[in-house]
Amino acid sequence: MTLSSILPPERTLFDVTGGSKKRVLEFFSTFIAQNTPSLDSQEVFSRLIAREKLGSTGIGNGVAIPHARSPHCKAPVAGFLKLDDPIDFDAVDGDPVDLVFVLLVPEEADDTHLALLAQVASVMNDADTRHQLRHCASQQQLHETLIEAIQRHGDGSSRPD
């Protein structure tokens, strides 16, 4: 299971209207449920919100990585949203968020979940990657830039240290 294999171009969204953390999570939940028949938008939304109540997934530098487990999720699902305007996400550094990488995993996917989260954090903690993503001019360019960054940071395939 690789990060790039669970993030197809159609789930890389460009210039999404944010408004608020709740609205972004609601938008993603509706979007992903329309594209993944086994998922229910309300269930996804409530799980993402429940996770946020444990502590913000805003990791700093304008990035959030909302994530949740779902019993209806058969395999990990990722989505990436570049917001048209930054929003308050209660991030650890207090900065508003404009890059949102969402991850849904099956209920029992412990190791997979942690490995995918670590990969996302590695990619999104890179200042050059964030700069490139913020300057993309289209959905296609955004997806290509993100996939290149994922591959540059190691796509979860085992490699020597």
Side-chain angles (χ1 to χ4, degrees), residues 122-142:
S122 172
V123 170
M124 299 310 294
N125 277 326
D126 182 72
D128 187 48
T129 296
R130 292 191 308 271
H131 176 79
Q132 289 175 7
L133 291 170
R134 288 187 171 113
H135 289 88
C136 288
S138 69
Q139 181 175 356
Q140 179 181 346
Q141 185 184 16
L142 186 66

Side-chain angles (χ1 to χ4, degrees), residues 39-59:
L39 297 177
D40 173 72
S41 65
Q42 282 301 336
E43 192 256 342
V44 169
F45 178 67
S46 67
R47 286 181 176 271
L48 288 170
I49 288 292
R51 171 57 191 86
E52 288 299 318
K53 288 180 180 173
L54 296 175
S56 177
T57 57
I59 64 168

